Amino acid sequence: MKRRSTDLDPSQDALADLADAFAGLRSAEQVRAFLEDLCTPAELEAMSDRWRVVPLLEQGVPYREIHDRTQVSVTTIGRVARVLERGAGGYAAALHRRPGRHR
């Protein structure tokens, strides 16, 4: 069982440390290697599925068509859409900074 400090929120410190680790990487290849070391295959698949639907949602593609194209569940598509609309802005920032985004 994890021991939790009462003074700090360790999940926030750990998340900040993880974000710093990503920010320190210099290439997509380094990020991929880090993700493969950090995550299980199922976690990588789930994150990849979410990311695949982001550009389609930004293009206004209907949920059912996104599902037909990607085989990602409509429930997951809806969750991603809610986060795009009301989240922290991470999807949008990543989407607009990725190479080759002029689609």
Side-chain angles (χ1 to χ4, degrees), residues 10-26 30-31 34-35 38 88 90:
S11 64
Q12 290 302 312
D13 290 341
L15 184 57
D17 287 345
L18 181 60
D20 286 343
F22 274 106
L25 298 172
R26 298 189 181 267
Q30 289 179 341
V31 172
F34 184 55
L35 284 168
L38 183 66

Side-chain angles (χ1 to χ4, degrees), residues 72-89:
V72 173
S73 75
V74 174
T75 301
T76 296
I77 296 164
R79 287 181 185 143
V80 172
R82 280 192 302 280
V83 171
L84 266 171
E85 186 176 312
R86 292 177 263 178

